[in-house]
Amino acid sequence: MTSIFRSPQALQLTLALIKPDAVAHPLILEAVHQQILSNKFLIVRTRELQWRKEDCRRFYREHEGRFFYQRLVEFMASGPIRAYILAHKDAIQLWRTLMGPTRVFRARHMAPDSIRGSFGLTDTRNTTHGSDSVVSASREIAAFFPDFSEQRWYEEEEPQLRRGPVCYSPEKGIHCAAATESPKAA
């Protein structure tokens, strides 16, 4: 993997997944989307997709052999998911805090206002997934957005988004650098 030079002020990227249990319920899906926006994440890319079991197995291969692996693979392939690339100064930690603990019982008691505390059903059907490190974020983003170049994004889009102004396009579902109009001649 090539090293990507980033300024100390650079935005950080993370992968955020909305799992089939939430995508199946439009009100929950919209509530999670609104939490992303209200927590000032920039949505860099988004897509909805149906995952095949082979894709799930490959993505979760680090858990192969654990008691929940097959259940997780079956669940993640059971319906559409929404994938986001999110950007923020501390995107990974902020998204993980917003999601809440993985175990729904713990989330309901320790972080009841978190996404998992509010909407999670079980430890597998816990509404969301998020990268746990910069390395996993890069790997996971590449798995869901194979045409996305992290290096090109840091070179071309990130500086514009960081400097602002930024606007959200509901039609495209992403944030863009706002076009500044040149003053009109009098």
Side-chain angles (χ1 to χ4, degrees), residues 20-68:
D21 57 317
V23 175
H25 298 296
L27 294 176
I28 294 173
L29 180 61
E30 182 58 25
V32 173
H33 183 78
Q34 288 304 316
Q35 284 195 24
I36 289 169
L37 295 174
S38 66
N39 279 275
K40 303 200 183 324
F41 282 100
L42 298 178
I43 301 172
V44 174
R45 301 287 188 279
T46 186
R47 65 184 287 224
E48 285 197 22
L49 65 145
Q50 175 76 44
W51 238 6
R52 299 172 311 171
K53 286 183 185 176
E54 303 82 54
D55 300 324
C56 298
R57 285 187 192 102
R58 190 171 25 260
F59 187 77
Y60 289 112
R61 71 179 167 262
E62 67 191 70
H63 300 302
E64 193 171 4
R66 298 179 79 182
F67 73 94
F68 59 84

mmCIF file of all heavy atoms in Angstrom, residues 20-68:
data_model
loop_
_atom_site.group_PDB
_atom_site.id
_atom_site.type_symbol
_atom_site.label_atom_id
_atom_site.label_comp_id
_atom_site.label_asym_id
_atom_site.label_seq_id
_atom_site.Cartn_x
_atom_site.Cartn_y
_atom_site.Cartn_z
ATOM 1 N N PRO A 20 -28.601 -4.397 6.941
ATOM 2 C CA PRO A 20 -29.929 -4.691 6.393
ATOM 3 C C PRO A 20 -31.090 -4.440 7.349
ATOM 4 O O PRO A 20 -32.176 -4.060 6.898
ATOM 5 C CB PRO A 20 -29.846 -6.180 6.031
ATOM 6 C CG PRO A 20 -28.406 -6.410 5.746
ATOM 7 C CD PRO A 20 -27.674 -5.520 6.724
ATOM 8 N N ASP A 21 -30.900 -4.624 8.656
ATOM 9 C CA ASP A 21 -32.000 -4.394 9.594
ATOM 10 C C ASP A 21 -32.466 -2.944 9.565
ATOM 11 O O ASP A 21 -33.656 -2.661 9.694
ATOM 12 C CB ASP A 21 -31.633 -4.824 11.014
ATOM 13 C CG ASP A 21 -30.392 -4.150 11.563
ATOM 14 O OD1 ASP A 21 -29.402 -4.027 10.818
ATOM 15 O OD2 ASP A 21 -30.400 -3.761 12.742
ATOM 16 N N ALA A 22 -31.556 -1.999 9.384
ATOM 17 C CA ALA A 22 -31.920 -0.584 9.345
ATOM 18 C C ALA A 22 -32.372 -0.153 7.956
ATOM 19 O O ALA A 22 -33.311 0.635 7.823
ATOM 20 C CB ALA A 22 -30.743 0.274 9.801
ATOM 21 N N VAL A 23 -31.729 -0.670 6.915
ATOM 22 C CA VAL A 23 -32.107 -0.300 5.553
ATOM 23 C C VAL A 23 -33.532 -0.764 5.259
ATOM 24 O O VAL A 23 -34.267 -0.113 4.509
ATOM 25 C CB VAL A 23 -31.101 -0.856 4.525
ATOM 26 C CG1 VAL A 23 -31.553 -0.590 3.096
ATOM 27 C CG2 VAL A 23 -29.720 -0.231 4.752
ATOM 28 N N ALA A 24 -33.952 -1.859 5.874
ATOM 29 C CA ALA A 24 -35.303 -2.391 5.664
ATOM 30 C C ALA A 24 -36.383 -1.473 6.237
ATOM 31 O O ALA A 24 -37.552 -1.599 5.876
ATOM 32 C CB ALA A 24 -35.428 -3.780 6.283
ATOM 33 N N HIS A 25 -36.001 -0.564 7.106
ATOM 34 C CA HIS A 25 -36.961 0.352 7.743
ATOM 35 C C HIS A 25 -36.604 1.785 7.364
ATOM 36 O O HIS A 25 -35.689 2.375 7.962
ATOM 37 C CB HIS A 25 -36.956 0.176 9.254
ATOM 38 C CG HIS A 25 -37.364 -1.199 9.680
ATOM 39 N ND1 HIS A 25 -38.616 -1.711 9.452
ATOM 40 C CD2 HIS A 25 -36.664 -2.181 10.286
ATOM 41 C CE1 HIS A 25 -38.674 -2.942 9.910
ATOM 42 N NE2 HIS A 25 -37.502 -3.262 10.417
ATOM 43 N N PRO A 26 -37.315 2.366 6.403
ATOM 44 C CA PRO A 26 -36.961 3.698 5.901
ATOM 45 C C PRO A 26 -36.844 4.777 6.980
ATOM 46 O O PRO A 26 -35.983 5.654 6.876
ATOM 47 C CB PRO A 26 -38.088 4.025 4.914
ATOM 48 C CG PRO A 26 -38.619 2.700 4.490
ATOM 49 C CD PRO A 26 -38.446 1.787 5.676
ATOM 50 N N LEU A 27 -37.656 4.712 8.022
ATOM 51 C CA LEU A 27 -37.571 5.734 9.072
ATOM 52 C C LEU A 27 -36.274 5.609 9.871
ATOM 53 O O LEU A 27 -35.665 6.612 10.242
ATOM 54 C CB LEU A 27 -38.792 5.664 9.994
ATOM 55 C CG LEU A 27 -40.125 6.021 9.338
ATOM 56 C CD1 LEU A 27 -41.274 5.828 10.319
ATOM 57 C CD2 LEU A 27 -40.113 7.435 8.787
ATOM 58 N N ILE A 28 -35.851 4.386 10.130
ATOM 59 C CA ILE A 28 -34.583 4.173 10.837
ATOM 60 C C ILE A 28 -33.426 4.586 9.939
ATOM 61 O O ILE A 28 -32.501 5.283 10.381
ATOM 62 C CB ILE A 28 -34.440 2.712 11.308
ATOM 63 C CG1 ILE A 28 -35.492 2.401 12.378
ATOM 64 C CG2 ILE A 28 -33.032 2.445 11.832
ATOM 65 C CD1 ILE A 28 -35.543 0.946 12.800
ATOM 66 N N LEU A 29 -33.475 4.198 8.680
ATOM 67 C CA LEU A 29 -32.425 4.579 7.732
ATOM 68 C C LEU A 29 -32.293 6.100 7.669
ATOM 69 O O LEU A 29 -31.189 6.640 7.732
ATOM 70 C CB LEU A 29 -32.728 4.005 6.347
ATOM 71 C CG LEU A 29 -31.726 4.314 5.250
ATOM 72 C CD1 LEU A 29 -30.349 3.759 5.577
ATOM 73 C CD2 LEU A 29 -32.221 3.748 3.924
ATOM 74 N N GLU A 30 -33.399 6.800 7.587
ATOM 75 C CA GLU A 30 -33.364 8.265 7.531
ATOM 76 C C GLU A 30 -32.858 8.849 8.851
ATOM 77 O O GLU A 30 -32.108 9.826 8.857
ATOM 78 C CB GLU A 30 -34.752 8.823 7.196
ATOM 79 C CG GLU A 30 -34.793 10.327 7.066
ATOM 80 C CD GLU A 30 -33.860 10.909 6.009
ATOM 81 O OE1 GLU A 30 -33.498 10.210 5.037
ATOM 82 O OE2 GLU A 30 -33.463 12.083 6.157
ATOM 83 N N ALA A 31 -33.245 8.262 9.979
ATOM 84 C CA ALA A 31 -32.776 8.761 11.285
ATOM 85 C C ALA A 31 -31.258 8.624 11.398
ATOM 86 O O ALA A 31 -30.584 9.536 11.897
ATOM 87 C CB ALA A 31 -33.470 8.003 12.419
ATOM 88 N N VAL A 32 -30.706 7.501 10.945
ATOM 89 C CA VAL A 32 -29.249 7.309 10.984
ATOM 90 C C VAL A 32 -28.579 8.305 10.045
ATOM 91 O O VAL A 32 -27.570 8.929 10.405
ATOM 92 C CB VAL A 32 -28.863 5.856 10.644
ATOM 93 C CG1 VAL A 32 -27.353 5.706 10.525
ATOM 94 C CG2 VAL A 32 -29.425 4.882 11.688
ATOM 95 N N HIS A 33 -29.137 8.480 8.858
ATOM 96 C CA HIS A 33 -28.589 9.442 7.899
ATOM 97 C C HIS A 33 -28.573 10.850 8.508
ATOM 98 O O HIS A 33 -27.578 11.572 8.389
ATOM 99 C CB HIS A 33 -29.409 9.404 6.613
ATOM 100 C CG HIS A 33 -28.896 10.295 5.539
ATOM 101 N ND1 HIS A 33 -27.810 9.960 4.757
ATOM 102 C CD2 HIS A 33 -29.304 11.516 5.127
ATOM 103 C CE1 HIS A 33 -27.582 10.942 3.892
ATOM 104 N NE2 HIS A 33 -28.470 11.887 4.106
ATOM 105 N N GLN A 34 -29.645 11.225 9.170
ATOM 106 C CA GLN A 34 -29.712 12.554 9.791
ATOM 107 C C GLN A 34 -28.697 12.693 10.927
ATOM 108 O O GLN A 34 -28.148 13.779 11.135
ATOM 109 C CB GLN A 34 -31.138 12.851 10.295
ATOM 110 C CG GLN A 34 -32.124 13.121 9.182
ATOM 111 C CD GLN A 34 -31.681 14.255 8.268
ATOM 112 O OE1 GLN A 34 -31.211 15.303 8.699
ATOM 113 N NE2 GLN A 34 -31.813 14.020 6.959
ATOM 114 N N GLN A 35 -28.429 11.610 11.655
ATOM 115 C CA GLN A 35 -27.396 11.671 12.695
ATOM 116 C C GLN A 35 -26.025 11.901 12.086
ATOM 117 O O GLN A 35 -25.202 12.625 12.648
ATOM 118 C CB GLN A 35 -27.408 10.405 13.548
ATOM 119 C CG GLN A 35 -28.564 10.376 14.528
ATOM 120 C CD GLN A 35 -28.369 9.327 15.606
ATOM 121 O OE1 GLN A 35 -27.265 8.920 15.924
ATOM 122 N NE2 GLN A 35 -29.475 8.882 16.172
ATOM 123 N N ILE A 36 -25.773 11.293 10.933
ATOM 124 C CA ILE A 36 -24.507 11.525 10.235
ATOM 125 C C ILE A 36 -24.378 13.004 9.900
ATOM 126 O O ILE A 36 -23.348 13.628 10.174
ATOM 127 C CB ILE A 36 -24.424 10.648 8.960
ATOM 128 C CG1 ILE A 36 -24.238 9.170 9.348
ATOM 129 C CG2 ILE A 36 -23.302 11.120 8.037
ATOM 130 C CD1 ILE A 36 -24.409 8.191 8.196
ATOM 131 N N LEU A 37 -25.428 13.564 9.333
ATOM 132 C CA LEU A 37 -25.393 14.983 8.949
ATOM 133 C C LEU A 37 -25.319 15.900 10.171
ATOM 134 O O LEU A 37 -24.537 16.858 10.178
ATOM 135 C CB LEU A 37 -26.619 15.329 8.099
ATOM 136 C CG LEU A 37 -26.702 14.639 6.731
ATOM 137 C CD1 LEU A 37 -28.041 14.957 6.059
ATOM 138 C CD2 LEU A 37 -25.537 15.049 5.853
ATOM 139 N N SER A 38 -26.097 15.626 11.197
ATOM 140 C CA SER A 38 -26.113 16.519 12.368
ATOM 141 C C SER A 38 -24.826 16.449 13.177
ATOM 142 O O SER A 38 -24.522 17.376 13.933
ATOM 143 C CB SER A 38 -27.330 16.248 13.247
ATOM 144 O OG SER A 38 -27.258 14.968 13.812
ATOM 145 N N ASN A 39 -24.039 15.389 13.007
ATOM 146 C CA ASN A 39 -22.745 15.306 13.678
ATOM 147 C C ASN A 39 -21.619 15.835 12.797
ATOM 148 O O ASN A 39 -20.446 15.598 13.061
ATOM 149 C CB ASN A 39 -22.472 13.868 14.125
ATOM 150 C CG ASN A 39 -23.183 13.560 15.421
ATOM 151 O OD1 ASN A 39 -22.665 13.841 16.483
ATOM 152 N ND2 ASN A 39 -24.399 13.028 15.319
ATOM 153 N N LYS A 40 -22.003 16.546 11.751
ATOM 154 C CA LYS A 40 -21.086 17.285 10.875
ATOM 155 C C LYS A 40 -20.072 16.414 10.139
ATOM 156 O O LYS A 40 -18.973 16.848 9.832
ATOM 157 C CB LYS A 40 -20.410 18.413 11.646
ATOM 158 C CG LYS A 40 -21.414 19.371 12.270
ATOM 159 C CD LYS A 40 -20.825 20.676 12.602
ATOM 160 C CE LYS A 40 -21.765 21.630 13.279
ATOM 161 N NZ LYS A 40 -23.123 21.666 12.919
ATOM 162 N N PHE A 41 -20.466 15.178 9.860
ATOM 163 C CA PHE A 41 -19.659 14.358 8.961
ATOM 164 C C PHE A 41 -19.860 14.891 7.554
ATOM 165 O O PHE A 41 -20.954 15.347 7.200
ATOM 166 C CB PHE A 41 -20.118 12.892 8.978
ATOM 167 C CG PHE A 41 -19.647 12.120 10.164
ATOM 168 C CD1 PHE A 41 -20.488 11.896 11.232
ATOM 169 C CD2 PHE A 41 -18.357 11.598 10.198
ATOM 170 C CE1 PHE A 41 -20.062 11.162 12.325
ATOM 171 C CE2 PHE A 41 -17.919 10.866 11.291
ATOM 172 C CZ PHE A 41 -18.765 10.648 12.355
ATOM 173 N N LEU A 42 -18.839 14.802 6.755
ATOM 174 C CA LEU A 42 -18.969 15.055 5.330
ATOM 175 C C LEU A 42 -19.151 13.704 4.664
ATOM 176 O O LEU A 42 -18.373 12.775 4.900
ATOM 177 C CB LEU A 42 -17.727 15.755 4.782
ATOM 178 C CG LEU A 42 -17.434 17.131 5.366
ATOM 179 C CD1 LEU A 42 -16.152 17.692 4.766
ATOM 180 C CD2 LEU A 42 -18.593 18.083 5.146
ATOM 181 N N ILE A 43 -20.181 13.571 3.852
ATOM 182 C CA ILE A 43 -20.412 12.345 3.115
ATOM 183 C C ILE A 43 -19.662 12.467 1.798
ATOM 184 O O ILE A 43 -20.001 13.285 0.949
ATOM 185 C CB ILE A 43 -21.916 12.093 2.892
ATOM 186 C CG1 ILE A 43 -22.628 11.997 4.250
ATOM 187 C CG2 ILE A 43 -22.126 10.822 2.064
ATOM 188 C CD1 ILE A 43 -24.146 11.930 4.154
ATOM 189 N N VAL A 44 -18.613 11.678 1.671
ATOM 190 C CA VAL A 44 -17.722 11.729 0.509
ATOM 191 C C VAL A 44 -18.287 10.889 -0.638
ATOM 192 O O VAL A 44 -18.271 11.304 -1.794
ATOM 193 C CB VAL A 44 -16.313 11.246 0.912
ATOM 194 C CG1 VAL A 44 -15.391 11.151 -0.289
ATOM 195 C CG2 VAL A 44 -15.726 12.169 1.976
ATOM 196 N N ARG A 45 -18.780 9.703 -0.325
ATOM 197 C CA ARG A 45 -19.399 8.809 -1.292
ATOM 198 C C ARG A 45 -20.464 8.006 -0.550
ATOM 199 O O ARG A 45 -20.350 7.762 0.650
ATOM 200 C CB ARG A 45 -18.405 7.816 -1.904
ATOM 201 C CG ARG A 45 -17.226 8.402 -2.626
ATOM 202 C CD ARG A 45 -17.581 9.022 -3.961
ATOM 203 N NE ARG A 45 -16.413 9.424 -4.718
ATOM 204 C CZ ARG A 45 -15.734 10.560 -4.536
ATOM 205 N NH1 ARG A 45 -16.085 11.421 -3.616
ATOM 206 N NH2 ARG A 45 -14.675 10.820 -5.296
ATOM 207 N N THR A 46 -21.466 7.569 -1.279
ATOM 208 C CA THR A 46 -22.484 6.692 -0.712
ATOM 209 C C THR A 46 -23.033 5.801 -1.817
ATOM 210 O O THR A 46 -23.031 6.185 -2.988
ATOM 211 C CB THR A 46 -23.629 7.490 -0.041
ATOM 212 O OG1 THR A 46 -24.520 6.583 0.604
ATOM 213 C CG2 THR A 46 -24.390 8.333 -1.041
ATOM 214 N N ARG A 47 -23.451 4.624 -1.415
ATOM 215 C CA ARG A 47 -24.094 3.714 -2.364
ATOM 216 C C ARG A 47 -24.888 2.674 -1.598
ATOM 217 O O ARG A 47 -24.573 2.338 -0.458
ATOM 218 C CB ARG A 47 -23.070 3.050 -3.286
ATOM 219 C CG ARG A 47 -22.097 2.121 -2.585
ATOM 220 C CD ARG A 47 -21.039 1.563 -3.490
ATOM 221 N NE ARG A 47 -21.591 0.566 -4.388
ATOM 222 C CZ ARG A 47 -21.015 -0.591 -4.652
ATOM 223 N NH1 ARG A 47 -19.856 -0.910 -4.107
ATOM 224 N NH2 ARG A 47 -21.565 -1.450 -5.468
ATOM 225 N N GLU A 48 -25.943 2.196 -2.240
ATOM 226 C CA GLU A 48 -26.690 1.063 -1.706
ATOM 227 C C GLU A 48 -26.357 -0.144 -2.554
ATOM 228 O O GLU A 48 -26.199 -0.035 -3.766
ATOM 229 C CB GLU A 48 -28.188 1.349 -1.707
ATOM 230 C CG GLU A 48 -28.561 2.300 -0.593
ATOM 231 C CD GLU A 48 -30.037 2.321 -0.253
ATOM 232 O OE1 GLU A 48 -30.753 1.345 -0.547
ATOM 233 O OE2 GLU A 48 -30.449 3.340 0.320
ATOM 234 N N LEU A 49 -26.249 -1.279 -1.909
ATOM 235 C CA LEU A 49 -25.905 -2.493 -2.630
ATOM 236 C C LEU A 49 -26.439 -3.708 -1.904
ATOM 237 O O LEU A 49 -26.751 -3.640 -0.713
ATOM 238 C CB LEU A 49 -24.384 -2.612 -2.805
ATOM 239 C CG LEU A 49 -23.559 -2.768 -1.531
ATOM 240 C CD1 LEU A 49 -22.382 -3.678 -1.801
ATOM 241 C CD2 LEU A 49 -23.072 -1.407 -1.066
ATOM 242 N N GLN A 50 -26.532 -4.774 -2.637
ATOM 243 C CA GLN A 50 -26.879 -6.081 -2.077
ATOM 244 C C GLN A 50 -25.600 -6.902 -2.092
ATOM 245 O O GLN A 50 -25.005 -7.098 -3.148
ATOM 246 C CB GLN A 50 -27.958 -6.750 -2.924
ATOM 247 C CG GLN A 50 -28.304 -8.157 -2.494
ATOM 248 C CD GLN A 50 -29.164 -8.198 -1.256
ATOM 249 O OE1 GLN A 50 -30.108 -7.432 -1.136
ATOM 250 N NE2 GLN A 50 -28.833 -9.086 -0.332
ATOM 251 N N TRP A 51 -25.179 -7.357 -0.949
ATOM 252 C CA TRP A 51 -23.944 -8.113 -0.828
ATOM 253 C C TRP A 51 -24.192 -9.587 -1.075
ATOM 254 O O TRP A 51 -25.163 -10.152 -0.583
ATOM 255 C CB TRP A 51 -23.424 -7.950 0.583
ATOM 256 C CG TRP A 51 -22.073 -7.390 0.712
ATOM 257 C CD1 TRP A 51 -21.258 -6.899 -0.257
ATOM 258 C CD2 TRP A 51 -21.367 -7.239 1.931
ATOM 259 N NE1 TRP A 51 -20.091 -6.455 0.291
ATOM 260 C CE2 TRP A 51 -20.135 -6.653 1.634
ATOM 261 C CE3 TRP A 51 -21.655 -7.548 3.246
ATOM 262 C CZ2 TRP A 51 -19.193 -6.372 2.605
ATOM 263 C CZ3 TRP A 51 -20.724 -7.258 4.211
ATOM 264 C CH2 TRP A 51 -19.499 -6.677 3.892
ATOM 265 N N ARG A 52 -23.298 -10.221 -1.793
ATOM 266 C CA ARG A 52 -23.349 -11.671 -1.965
ATOM 267 C C ARG A 52 -22.646 -12.328 -0.763
ATOM 268 O O ARG A 52 -21.799 -11.717 -0.126
ATOM 269 C CB ARG A 52 -22.650 -12.084 -3.257
ATOM 270 C CG ARG A 52 -23.292 -11.493 -4.510
ATOM 271 C CD ARG A 52 -22.467 -11.762 -5.721
ATOM 272 N NE ARG A 52 -21.073 -11.387 -5.418
ATOM 273 C CZ ARG A 52 -20.040 -11.643 -6.190
ATOM 274 N NH1 ARG A 52 -20.193 -12.271 -7.305
ATOM 275 N NH2 ARG A 52 -18.830 -11.270 -5.846
ATOM 276 N N LYS A 53 -22.982 -13.575 -0.498
ATOM 277 C CA LYS A 53 -22.364 -14.279 0.629
ATOM 278 C C LYS A 53 -20.851 -14.333 0.484
ATOM 279 O O LYS A 53 -20.129 -14.210 1.471
ATOM 280 C CB LYS A 53 -22.935 -15.687 0.782
ATOM 281 C CG LYS A 53 -24.322 -15.695 1.358
ATOM 282 C CD LYS A 53 -24.822 -17.107 1.566
ATOM 283 C CE LYS A 53 -26.270 -17.071 2.020
ATOM 284 N NZ LYS A 53 -26.836 -18.406 2.146
ATOM 285 N N GLU A 54 -20.358 -14.500 -0.758
ATOM 286 C CA GLU A 54 -18.906 -14.550 -0.975
ATOM 287 C C GLU A 54 -18.250 -13.235 -0.555
ATOM 288 O O GLU A 54 -17.160 -13.229 0.021
ATOM 289 C CB GLU A 54 -18.573 -14.822 -2.450
ATOM 290 C CG GLU A 54 -19.165 -16.092 -3.024
ATOM 291 C CD GLU A 54 -20.631 -15.926 -3.458
ATOM 292 O OE1 GLU A 54 -20.939 -15.014 -4.241
ATOM 293 O OE2 GLU A 54 -21.456 -16.726 -2.980
ATOM 294 N N ASP A 55 -18.915 -12.114 -0.869
ATOM 295 C CA ASP A 55 -18.386 -10.804 -0.474
ATOM 296 C C ASP A 55 -18.344 -10.677 1.050
ATOM 297 O O ASP A 55 -17.369 -10.183 1.614
ATOM 298 C CB ASP A 55 -19.242 -9.666 -1.049
ATOM 299 C CG ASP A 55 -19.290 -9.676 -2.560
ATOM 300 O OD1 ASP A 55 -18.269 -10.015 -3.194
ATOM 301 O OD2 ASP A 55 -20.356 -9.339 -3.114
ATOM 302 N N CYS A 56 -19.395 -11.139 1.693
ATOM 303 C CA CYS A 56 -19.469 -11.084 3.161
ATOM 304 C C CYS A 56 -18.376 -11.937 3.795
ATOM 305 O O CYS A 56 -17.724 -11.510 4.745
ATOM 306 C CB CYS A 56 -20.833 -11.554 3.649
ATOM 307 S SG CYS A 56 -22.206 -10.549 3.091
ATOM 308 N N ARG A 57 -18.198 -13.137 3.264
ATOM 309 C CA ARG A 57 -17.163 -14.026 3.807
ATOM 310 C C ARG A 57 -15.782 -13.386 3.693
ATOM 311 O O ARG A 57 -14.990 -13.443 4.620
ATOM 312 C CB ARG A 57 -17.181 -15.373 3.078
ATOM 313 C CG ARG A 57 -18.319 -16.254 3.460
ATOM 314 C CD ARG A 57 -18.192 -17.649 2.826
ATOM 315 N NE ARG A 57 -19.438 -18.356 2.984
ATOM 316 C CZ ARG A 57 -20.344 -18.519 2.032
ATOM 317 N NH1 ARG A 57 -20.120 -18.061 0.809
ATOM 318 N NH2 ARG A 57 -21.461 -19.149 2.269
ATOM 319 N N ARG A 58 -15.520 -12.778 2.550
ATOM 320 C CA ARG A 58 -14.220 -12.141 2.325
ATOM 321 C C ARG A 58 -14.039 -10.950 3.280
ATOM 322 O O ARG A 58 -13.002 -10.793 3.895
ATOM 323 C CB ARG A 58 -14.122 -11.698 0.858
ATOM 324 C CG ARG A 58 -12.771 -11.253 0.425
ATOM 325 C CD ARG A 58 -12.609 -11.005 -1.080
ATOM 326 N NE ARG A 58 -13.810 -10.665 -1.832
ATOM 327 C CZ ARG A 58 -14.523 -11.521 -2.578
ATOM 328 N NH1 ARG A 58 -14.166 -12.786 -2.679
ATOM 329 N NH2 ARG A 58 -15.586 -11.124 -3.242
ATOM 330 N N PHE A 59 -15.081 -10.139 3.418
ATOM 331 C CA PHE A 59 -14.994 -8.951 4.265
ATOM 332 C C PHE A 59 -14.792 -9.311 5.739
ATOM 333 O O PHE A 59 -14.025 -8.666 6.446
ATOM 334 C CB PHE A 59 -16.265 -8.103 4.102
ATOM 335 C CG PHE A 59 -16.204 -6.773 4.793
ATOM 336 C CD1 PHE A 59 -15.492 -5.722 4.240
ATOM 337 C CD2 PHE A 59 -16.863 -6.563 5.996
ATOM 338 C CE1 PHE A 59 -15.445 -4.492 4.867
ATOM 339 C CE2 PHE A 59 -16.821 -5.339 6.632
ATOM 340 C CZ PHE A 59 -16.109 -4.290 6.066
ATOM 341 N N TYR A 60 -15.480 -10.346 6.193
ATOM 342 C CA TYR A 60 -15.431 -10.734 7.606
ATOM 343 C C TYR A 60 -14.496 -11.916 7.866
ATOM 344 O O TYR A 60 -14.595 -12.572 8.901
ATOM 345 C CB TYR A 60 -16.843 -11.064 8.116
ATOM 346 C CG TYR A 60 -17.718 -9.842 8.241
ATOM 347 C CD1 TYR A 60 -18.808 -9.641 7.410
ATOM 348 C CD2 TYR A 60 -17.446 -8.876 9.205
ATOM 349 C CE1 TYR A 60 -19.607 -8.517 7.523
ATOM 350 C CE2 TYR A 60 -18.238 -7.749 9.332
ATOM 351 C CZ TYR A 60 -19.313 -7.578 8.487
ATOM 352 O OH TYR A 60 -20.102 -6.453 8.607
ATOM 353 N N ARG A 61 -13.565 -12.189 6.964
ATOM 354 C CA ARG A 61 -12.697 -13.369 7.099
ATOM 355 C C ARG A 61 -11.906 -13.386 8.400
ATOM 356 O O ARG A 61 -11.570 -14.450 8.900
ATOM 357 C CB ARG A 61 -11.773 -13.508 5.894
ATOM 358 C CG ARG A 61 -10.684 -12.488 5.789
ATOM 359 C CD ARG A 61 -9.797 -12.721 4.551
ATOM 360 N NE ARG A 61 -8.973 -11.561 4.316
ATOM 361 C CZ ARG A 61 -9.243 -10.608 3.451
ATOM 362 N NH1 ARG A 61 -10.316 -10.677 2.703
ATOM 363 N NH2 ARG A 61 -8.446 -9.576 3.312
ATOM 364 N N GLU A 62 -11.632 -12.230 8.987
ATOM 365 C CA GLU A 62 -10.904 -12.199 10.266
ATOM 366 C C GLU A 62 -11.701 -12.865 11.394
ATOM 367 O O GLU A 62 -11.134 -13.263 12.396
ATOM 368 C CB GLU A 62 -10.550 -10.761 10.655
ATOM 369 C CG GLU A 62 -11.753 -9.902 10.994
ATOM 370 C CD GLU A 62 -11.427 -8.432 11.125
ATOM 371 O OE1 GLU A 62 -11.126 -7.806 10.100
ATOM 372 O OE2 GLU A 62 -11.487 -7.928 12.259
ATOM 373 N N HIS A 63 -13.016 -13.003 11.204
ATOM 374 C CA HIS A 63 -13.868 -13.630 12.219
ATOM 375 C C HIS A 63 -14.179 -15.090 11.912
ATOM 376 O O HIS A 63 -14.901 -15.742 12.673
ATOM 377 C CB HIS A 63 -15.185 -12.853 12.355
ATOM 378 C CG HIS A 63 -15.008 -11.432 12.766
ATOM 379 N ND1 HIS A 63 -14.372 -11.063 13.924
ATOM 380 C CD2 HIS A 63 -15.371 -10.279 12.147
ATOM 381 C CE1 HIS A 63 -14.366 -9.750 14.020
ATOM 382 N NE2 HIS A 63 -14.947 -9.247 12.949
ATOM 383 N N GLU A 64 -13.643 -15.597 10.802
ATOM 384 C CA GLU A 64 -13.921 -16.988 10.420
ATOM 385 C C GLU A 64 -13.542 -17.928 11.566
ATOM 386 O O GLU A 64 -12.498 -17.775 12.193
ATOM 387 C CB GLU A 64 -13.136 -17.358 9.161
ATOM 388 C CG GLU A 64 -13.587 -18.647 8.534
ATOM 389 C CD GLU A 64 -12.941 -18.879 7.174
ATOM 390 O OE1 GLU A 64 -12.090 -18.071 6.752
ATOM 391 O OE2 GLU A 64 -13.304 -19.882 6.557
ATOM 392 N N GLY A 65 -14.429 -18.876 11.838
ATOM 393 C CA GLY A 65 -14.193 -19.824 12.918
ATOM 394 C C GLY A 65 -14.814 -19.402 14.239
ATOM 395 O O GLY A 65 -14.947 -20.228 15.143
ATOM 396 N N ARG A 66 -15.208 -18.149 14.358
ATOM 397 C CA ARG A 66 -15.860 -17.694 15.592
ATOM 398 C C ARG A 66 -17.340 -18.056 15.526
ATOM 399 O O ARG A 66 -17.914 -18.195 14.448
ATOM 400 C CB ARG A 66 -15.643 -16.204 15.774
ATOM 401 C CG ARG A 66 -14.132 -15.912 15.911
ATOM 402 C CD ARG A 66 -13.821 -14.483 16.060
ATOM 403 N NE ARG A 66 -14.080 -14.086 17.440
ATOM 404 C CZ ARG A 66 -13.933 -12.839 17.866
ATOM 405 N NH1 ARG A 66 -13.526 -11.894 17.046
ATOM 406 N NH2 ARG A 66 -14.185 -12.524 19.116
ATOM 407 N N PHE A 67 -17.960 -18.185 16.686
ATOM 408 C CA PHE A 67 -19.326 -18.701 16.761
ATOM 409 C C PHE A 67 -20.341 -17.859 15.985
ATOM 410 O O PHE A 67 -21.345 -18.376 15.506
ATOM 411 C CB PHE A 67 -19.765 -18.841 18.232
ATOM 412 C CG PHE A 67 -20.050 -17.525 18.903
ATOM 413 C CD1 PHE A 67 -21.337 -17.009 18.941
ATOM 414 C CD2 PHE A 67 -19.032 -16.788 19.499
ATOM 415 C CE1 PHE A 67 -21.608 -15.792 19.553
ATOM 416 C CE2 PHE A 67 -19.285 -15.589 20.116
ATOM 417 C CZ PHE A 67 -20.572 -15.083 20.143
ATOM 418 N N PHE A 68 -20.097 -16.592 15.803
ATOM 419 C CA PHE A 68 -21.073 -15.712 15.152
ATOM 420 C C PHE A 68 -20.816 -15.510 13.658
ATOM 421 O O PHE A 68 -21.619 -14.884 12.973
ATOM 422 C CB PHE A 68 -21.090 -14.338 15.833
ATOM 423 C CG PHE A 68 -19.763 -13.631 15.803
ATOM 424 C CD1 PHE A 68 -19.378 -12.883 14.701
ATOM 425 C CD2 PHE A 68 -18.898 -13.711 16.895
ATOM 426 C CE1 PHE A 68 -18.153 -12.237 14.671
ATOM 427 C CE2 PHE A 68 -17.671 -13.064 16.869
ATOM 428 C CZ PHE A 68 -17.295 -12.323 15.753
#
